[in-house]
Amino acid sequence: MVGASAILDRFRLRRFDDVLGQDGILGSLREKIDRGRDDRLPHLVFTGRRGVGKRSLARLYAQMLLCEKAGEGAPCLKCNECKGVSIRSSFSYVEFSARRFPDERYFRERVEQTKMGMKGTFWRVFLIDDAEWLEAASADVMLKTLEKELDTVFIFVVNDIAQFSRALRSRCQVFRLTSVEHQALVSRLKAVCDRESLIYEERALSVIAQATGGRVGEALTRLAEVASLGEVTSASAWRTLNLEWGETMIACWQAQLRGQLDEALSHFEGIASDDEGRVRAMQSFALAVHFRSSIGTLPFGISPALECLADEAWLPILEGWENLSRRRSVPVNSLIEGAMKFWGGVNRLTPSLASFHNGYERLFGTQKDGPGPGIVAT
Ligand SMILES: [Zn+2]
């Protein structure tokens, strides 16, 4: 079996045409490469949400600057300089994570390394990942280096721009990468699968795109994880991305709405392995039902496991609440709000089974407001 990181390596960007949805940035980068050595190149900051594809784009740009085949053929991915970027080290290229090496001494050593051999290129590129972690002393040394060494291009990859050195930022051109539209991301995943001859179900790619919120880098990482286990099926994607509890949750609430406590209970225990996970999931779900019932869709950010459920999956739940509403002559909104309030008020650290019994009794038990759902045939 091939490991996920080896597969991810095969997914890497090969040219600008592979890059999704960052058109403004690409145009600007192309222009810089064309201008080439006639001009000093600006130092760059790539920022945006984690997993959006910043570091991959930064590496591709480095390869285009350094490749021995300048122009149309770049990056060739075969020359020493292209390979140097791939293995993250050469006399022309230095890459490291400031989170792992925030100190000034480490940076100085890596600069020395580039001077020990003959670099074959005009440019020297430093890619500093997680650059918001740089210590002040280290940022100072970089500032001096980038002002003094004119053949050096710094690329800072920054997750949280507010934490990044202001002095460095003021000397860089800042590019903010964004998430991409769902269908475009699915197409990109499909193209990668086709190129690598992976066997896949289209629904699986859609689940991965949805669960990663349109972040290309994260989606490719997850795809590599799924592919490392075999065929890219929906079932495998659900499992790998830890999304299975969404379906278990639907089954659990269907059983509750039908008045089948034992079945509901066994699903409830399967939702997560600990009390906190189960309660948290119930809270998300109650909130999700509220949105599904009132506006017909889910706002982004409730939970990937619920966002990935197909529209049809929600139907039996919404119908169940409607039925209950009719039987009890209580508006469906108030019933759903009752569930939301109950679970919202549960402390995540209390034993979840006791809370579940309590909630079931409160929401579905046969009480003075009419016959409970238990007597209704299904
Ligand atoms: Zn090359």
Side-chain angles (χ1 to χ4, degrees):
M1 201 175 283
V2 189
S5 66
I7 295 180
L8 184 60
D9 220 37
R10 290 180 2 222
F11 290 172
R12 72 180 183 278
L13 287 172
R14 297 182 182 180
R15 47 198 63 255
F16 272 180
D17 295 343
D18 292 341
V19 180
L20 272 187
Q22 318 292 347
D23 295 347
I25 299 179
L26 296 183
S28 177
L29 292 179
R30 271 209 180 93
E31 203 179 289
K32 293 181 205 329
I33 292 163
D34 291 345
R35 229 167 38 208
R37 353 187 139 171
D38 303 339
D39 222 340
R40 266 190 80 175
L41 282 175
H43 306 289
L44 305 178
V45 169
F46 287 146
T47 187
R49 288 171 65 205
R50 190 171 285 282
V52 86
K54 306 181 289 293
R55 195 177 53 194
S56 302
L57 182 56
R59 283 181 187 148
L60 180 65
Y61 178 66
Q63 274 176 324
M64 294 187 74
L65 285 184
L66 296 174
C67 178
E68 290 166 11
K69 270 195 185 159
E72 282 300 300
C76 71
L77 306 177
K78 294 192 179 90
C79 71
N80 287 334
E81 299 302 333
C82 282
K83 284 182 188 159
V85 175
S86 294
I87 62 165
R88 329 258 189 264
S89 176
S90 75
F91 293 125
S92 320
Y93 182 73
V94 167
E95 174 183 329
F96 65 90
S97 159
R99 190 171 186 159
R100 289 188 62 198
F101 304 105
D103 61 307
E104 157 214 357
R105 198 173 41 98
Y106 181 82
F107 174 64
R108 282 186 201 276
E109 279 169 12
R110 296 299 300 268
V111 173
E112 286 313 309
Q113 163 208 328
T114 63
K115 292 179 176 163
M116 275 155 59
M118 278 292 288
K119 69 180 170 81
T121 59
F122 185 79
W123 298 109
R124 199 159 49 148
V125 178
F126 289 102
L127 191 160
I128 319 296
D129 198 9
D130 300 316
E132 68 269 38
W133 289 78
L134 286 173
E135 285 172 2
S138 188
D140 275 351
V141 180
M142 285 187 191
L143 206 56
K144 287 190 189 106
T145 311
L146 65 76
E147 278 168 352
K148 195 174 64 186
E149 318 244 354
L150 302 183
D151 62 348
T152 300
V153 175
F154 276 86
I155 308 174
F156 299 100
V157 174
V158 179
N159 295 298
D160 184 0
I161 191 82
Q163 304 294 324
F164 180 57
S165 153
R166 288 218 180 146
L168 284 174
R169 181 180 168 177
S170 71
R171 273 132 181 115
C172 293
Q173 192 170 349
V174 178
F175 291 116
R176 183 176 295 276
L177 276 73
T178 51
S179 310
V180 301
E181 192 261 319
H182 178 79
Q183 208 45 50
L185 180 51
V186 173
S187 304
R188 164 93 174 110
L189 297 179
K190 225 189 277 185
V192 166
C193 286
D194 288 336
R195 189 179 79 194
E196 298 298 327
S197 306
L198 298 174
I199 299 171
Y200 64 94
E201 289 172 9
E202 207 165 320
R203 170 86 183 127
L205 304 184
S206 175
V207 165
I208 293 172
Q210 181 83 24
T212 52
R215 291 172 298 152
V216 184
E218 181 68 9
L220 289 171
T221 304
R222 297 313 211 136
L223 176 62
E225 275 172 41
V226 178
S228 74
L229 303 170
E231 292 180 8
V232 181
T233 61
S234 306
S236 173
W238 283 93
R239 214 169 26 249
T240 311
L241 277 72
N242 195 22
L243 302 172
E244 283 173 314
W245 68 262
E247 287 187 332
T248 311
M249 185 62 96
I250 294 272
C252 173
W253 280 86
Q254 257 183 290
Q256 288 184 77
L257 286 157
R258 284 198 302 251
Q260 296 164 334
L261 177 60
D262 289 346
E263 192 190 331
L265 212 54
S266 76
H267 290 306
F268 179 70
E269 288 180 288
I271 286 165
S273 56
D274 60 354
D275 288 321
E276 192 183 350
R278 286 195 282 257
V279 172
R280 192 188 289 270
M282 289 300 262
Q283 290 172 339
S284 305
F285 189 80
L287 191 63
V289 171
H290 163 72
F291 281 114
R292 271 276 163 185
S293 149
S294 54
I295 60 172
T297 181
L298 291 188
F300 178 75
I302 285 196
S303 157
L306 302 178
E307 284 156 19
C308 287
L309 289 170
D311 287 342
E312 305 86 79
W314 296 93
L315 293 179
I317 300 295
L318 298 177
E319 277 169 21
W321 282 111
E322 296 283 352
N323 289 339
L324 190 63
S325 152
R326 273 194 294 277
R327 284 201 304 274
R328 293 190 175 171
S329 306
V330 177
V332 72
N333 294 350
S334 346
L335 289 177
I336 291 175
E337 256 169 45
M340 209 165 69
K341 276 194 190 132
F342 173 80
W343 280 104
V346 171
N347 183 325
R348 288 176 179 174
L349 301 175
T350 56
S352 63
L353 281 182
S355 302
F356 185 83
H357 277 286
N358 196 357
Y360 181 83
E361 189 54 41
R362 189 90 66 90
L363 303 167
F364 304 108
T366 311
Q367 290 170 22
K368 58 181 181 298
D369 60 350
I375 58 166
V376 175
T378 53

